[in-house]
Amino acid sequence: MTDLSPEHASTLARLLAQVAAASAAEDLRAIGREALEKGGVVADLLASIPTLPPAERKGAGQAANRIKAELEAAIDARKRELEDGALLASRKVEGFDATLRAPRVERGALHPITQVVRELEDLFTSMGFEVLDGPEIELDWYNFEALNIPRDHPARDMQDTFRCDPAGELVLRTHTSPVQVRAMEKRRPPIRAIAPGKVFRQETTDASHEHTFHQMEGLVVDEDVSVGHLIHTMKTLLRGVFGKDIEVRLRPGYFPFVEPGFELDARCPFCKSGCSVCKQSTWIELLPCGMVHENVLRAGGIDPAKYSGFAFGLGLSRLVMLRYGIDDVRHLLSGDARFLRQFHRIG
Ligand code: PHE
């Protein structure tokens, strides 16, 4: 290491002594500034180099670097010492017990419905669908009229509706189907969309009925859309959810906004010859669906002579129950941490 002139050696010794005596981080910073910044010993030494005879320049540069390096190392070391000292001092406070466990930070997780919705969103967006949202407080028009359910239609009795105003113009949506019409109003075909969300019905709650539950609407509108496209999409959905190919069948089903309308059943994914989930039938009622009724296309501003479409209404709450073997729909919105903790996984 470069030798320092006696003058520089004593400057360094003085600075190191100051560092050793410092009792606060600010003092250390001040010592550093004083020595290293403009006007300080090191800076002066460096600034003097051009005025020195060439033979002495190298030595002066090296001396400046040595002072700087030693000073910085000493400042760092003293800083660490002071920090450790502060920690030790805080541990000496009365009542400190190093053997106590640190409080555990609880790691949260996504609700099983959110987990399934996210999976379905990934699946459907990979098929070119967009994910739409709609209002939970809905106009009677979108919830019923535009879906081919006029005021006096008996089909209104199928859905016990929470009404929000005396005139009956506003309802808590009873299904996600109103998003179909909202989607058509704002887009031109081809339309491919899903709309997951909460729906509400005035139900007497029991293990399979709840006033608030989740559905996911699906809508495809394009030229020449057929029941074949619907079946294919539903099979893809089932493969995504259950991880294997699952046979489906259609039964006739009645909903005023589809024609023809179907109930789609899936082969029970849990058994071959009957179990409690499929009630020994090997079939599970999966979802209602059908070809979009021409009145609904018209309500959405789409020409039924040119376009056709299919729609389905997946009962998300039911699907989540099937998937995880949950026996009571009321668990889902109970907010009971003992229930939710069973679904912890990184979502
Ligand atoms: N919206 C209907 C319901 O909740 C389900 C459905 C959706 C049926 C789409 C057919 C097509 O009862």
Side-chain angles (χ1 to χ4, degrees):
M1 196 179 276
T2 334
D3 283 335
L4 295 177
S5 69
E7 187 200 338
H8 289 139
S10 83
T11 308
L12 178 59
R14 183 175 51 78
L15 289 168
L16 294 179
Q18 281 177 16
V19 168
S23 57
E26 294 112 77
D27 300 344
L28 289 171
R29 273 195 293 277
I31 300 168
R33 264 200 309 275
E34 200 189 304
L36 303 171
E37 285 177 10
K38 202 156 187 251
V41 217
V42 176
D44 276 358
L45 195 55
L46 289 170
S48 72
I49 292 176
T51 66
L52 294 175
E56 289 173 27
R57 289 184 190 169
K58 187 170 171 211
Q62 285 172 341
N65 285 337
R66 176 170 164 193
I67 297 175
K68 183 168 182 256
E70 286 198 26
L71 182 62
E72 280 174 345
I75 288 177
D76 275 357
R78 180 67 187 145
K79 203 167 129 208
R80 244 173 285 124
E81 246 172 54
L82 289 175
E83 284 166 0
D84 290 351
L87 189 63
L88 281 177
S90 75
R91 286 191 182 159
K92 287 216 184 80
V93 174
E94 213 181 324
F96 178 83
D97 180 352
T99 65
L100 273 184
R101 273 169 187 267
R104 201 159 57 116
V105 179
E106 284 249 10
R107 177 157 199 173
L110 294 176
H111 190 281
I113 291 187
T114 312
Q115 290 182 21
V116 169
V117 167
R118 293 211 176 163
E119 270 178 45
L120 292 174
E121 286 178 355
D122 281 349
L123 180 74
F124 277 94
T125 48
S126 80
M127 293 193 278
F129 284 63
E130 53 181 327
V131 181
L132 300 180
D133 213 357
E136 290 173 357
I137 298 178
E138 186 52 285
L139 288 168
D140 183 276
W141 164 259
Y142 288 107
N143 197 81
F144 294 119
E145 296 277 331
L147 291 170
N148 203 29
I149 316 175
R151 293 245 158 195
D152 50 3
H153 197 288
R156 289 209 177 194
D157 298 341
M158 286 160 65
Q159 301 184 349
D160 296 310
T161 311
F162 287 112
R163 302 211 161 258
C164 304
D165 63 335
E169 290 308 325
L170 285 176
V171 301
L172 291 188
R173 66 175 178 186
T174 56
H175 50 177
T176 43
S177 300
V179 186
Q180 287 187 31
V181 185
R182 289 182 173 275
M184 288 189 260
E185 279 178 343
K186 293 245 168 69
R187 299 171 171 67
R188 291 303 90 195
I191 299 172
R192 270 175 278 177
I194 52 167
K198 278 198 201 99
V199 302
F200 311 87
R201 291 187 200 175
Q202 209 170 342
E203 304 266 12
T204 312
T205 52
D206 62 25
S208 43
H209 296 92
E210 174 72 295
H211 49 69
T212 301
F213 53 103
H214 289 75
Q215 290 188 337
M216 188 181 83
E217 197 75 7
L219 174 71
V220 169
V221 180
D222 202 351
E223 286 176 31
D224 300 322
V225 174
S226 73
V227 176
H229 296 116
L230 167 63
I231 292 175
H232 173 78
T233 309
M234 296 301 97
K235 285 188 149 181
T236 310
L237 163 70
L238 285 166
R239 198 182 316 122
V241 173
F242 294 105
K244 57 182 177 188
D245 286 322
I246 291 182
E247 194 189 347
V248 297
R249 74 178 183 194
L250 294 180
R251 287 178 291 114
Y254 175 66
F255 295 90
F257 36 96
V258 283
E259 177 58 36
F262 310 108
E263 293 285 350
L264 184 128
D265 296 339
R267 269 287 184 212
C268 179
F270 306 111
C271 71
K272 285 218 153 55
S273 53
C275 67
S276 62
V277 177
C278 60
K279 303 196 190 81
Q280 311 305 328
S281 74
T282 77
W283 290 102
I284 292 182
E285 227 178 87
L286 188 73
L287 51 79
C289 52
M291 304 308 290
V292 181
H293 194 289
E294 58 181 82
N295 288 350
V296 179
L297 290 172
R298 258 186 234 111
I302 288 176
D303 179 3
K306 186 156 180 223
Y307 297 105
S308 52
F310 67 79
F312 59 89
L314 179 65
L316 274 178
S317 306
R318 228 178 80 77
L319 184 71
V320 168
M321 289 170 72
L322 261 182
R323 159 98 167 249
Y324 296 111
I326 299 166
D327 58 2
D328 191 326
V329 68
R330 290 168 296 189
H331 286 313
L332 289 175
L333 297 180
S334 65
D336 187 334
R338 291 167 307 174
F339 168 74
L340 294 171
R341 226 173 259 129
Q342 301 171 62
F343 303 94
H344 271 205
R345 77 163 197 212
I346 308 196

